[in-house]
Amino acid sequence: MTFKWLPNALTIARCVFAGFVLVGFWQAGSLDLTLTGLSPEELSRRATLQQLWYQFAFLAFLAGAITDFLDGWLARKLEAHSRFGVWLDPIADKLLIAAALFGLALEFRSWLIYVPAAMIIARDVFMTWFRATPRGRSAIVPSNLAKWKTGFEFAAIIGLMLPLATLRPSLDGDVATGSDVLAIVAIVTVVGLLWVAAALSWWTAGQYMKAAGSGSPD
């Protein structure tokens, strides 16, 4: 029995997990803890449900990230390469990243998240289109810098989602934190990673277009 269908199945699953990430953020956001007139019991129930939905989104993102590693590893192990997989794999990656960034932007409602998230999503949409053009198809090998960019994206997203999933919301709608100093350092670090990822995303896009223009890969 052959399992050469597994890599493509995992890639498709990553697209599904991206949808789950959005569902988790949407459901968590619908549980408004700032409504007036709610009883303490109702507030506690909403806070619990909200955290559960954040955990759902976080686990969906982690599962999608795991499939990103597994599908490539299995494709090499099983020698299962297909045009469909080559086409869908980068799209699935971008869908997962975009879903998480969109949910985080809606959650934190800050230009510190809006700007880098928009930069990354806009770059990914542009590159998806560009790779479909004859010129873009001339350079299909990702650079090491692009892999670092992806690593920064995953690290920043996990860093932003983890407190939502692990720290119980307070009844005023904010996320309870421990030490204020440590919390500030962690936030600055994680947001900084997101900005670095955004800068690298456009830097690598420029490299890709230059390579495509010269007819050589990255």
Side-chain angles (χ1 to χ4, degrees):
M1 181 179 180
T2 179
F3 292 95
K4 291 189 174 183
W5 53 270
L6 269 177
N8 285 347
L10 289 172
T11 304
I12 294 172
R14 188 152 69 256
C15 298
V16 176
F17 285 129
F20 287 163
V21 171
L22 286 177
V23 169
F25 273 109
W26 179 269
Q27 293 293 339
S30 68
L31 295 165
D32 190 354
L33 303 182
T34 63
L35 292 176
T36 59
L38 297 177
S39 66
E41 292 78 12
E42 176 62 15
L43 281 174
S44 179
R45 185 188 72 85
R46 283 175 173 247
T48 299
L49 285 176
Q50 187 180 74
Q51 187 177 29
L52 287 174
W53 279 115
Y54 284 137
Q55 291 171 351
F56 177 83
F58 181 62
L59 291 175
F61 181 80
L62 287 182
I66 291 171
T67 66
D68 186 27
F69 165 76
L70 287 179
D71 62 2
W73 180 79
L74 282 174
R76 292 188 296 271
K77 193 76 172 178
L78 300 173
E79 296 183 354
H81 303 284
S82 66
R83 290 185 178 181
F84 176 76
V86 171
W87 169 78
L88 184 62
D89 183 70
I91 294 177
D93 294 344
K94 292 171 175 56
L95 285 176
L96 184 66
I97 293 291
L101 290 176
F102 184 75
L104 288 169
L106 290 179
E107 171 61 28
F108 289 104
R109 301 178 185 272
S110 169
W111 66 270
L112 290 172
I113 306 297
Y114 289 153
V115 174
M119 288 174 64
I120 292 171
I121 293 173
R123 180 267 189 192
D124 286 347
V125 170
F126 170 76
M127 291 306 298
T128 299
W129 167 81
F130 185 71
R131 285 192 174 105
T133 66
R135 180 184 173 191
R137 284 194 294 268
S138 67
I140 60 174
V141 180
S143 66
N144 288 329
L145 194 59
K147 295 177 182 178
W148 276 101
K149 181 267 300 182
T150 302
F152 280 124
E153 287 175 347
F154 277 103
I157 290 170
I158 290 173
L160 288 169
M161 294 181 71
L162 187 60
L164 297 174
T166 58
L167 300 177
R168 180 179 173 81
S170 62
L171 295 185
D172 59 4
D174 296 325
V175 175
T177 60
S179 169
D180 290 340
V181 174
L182 290 178
I184 292 172
V185 171
I187 291 171
V188 170
T189 301
V190 172
V191 173
L193 286 176
L194 188 61
W195 278 86
V196 170
L200 287 177
S201 68
W202 280 100
W203 182 270
T204 55
Q207 286 187 326
Y208 190 97
M209 293 181 66
K210 183 179 179 180
S214 65
S216 61
D218 293 283

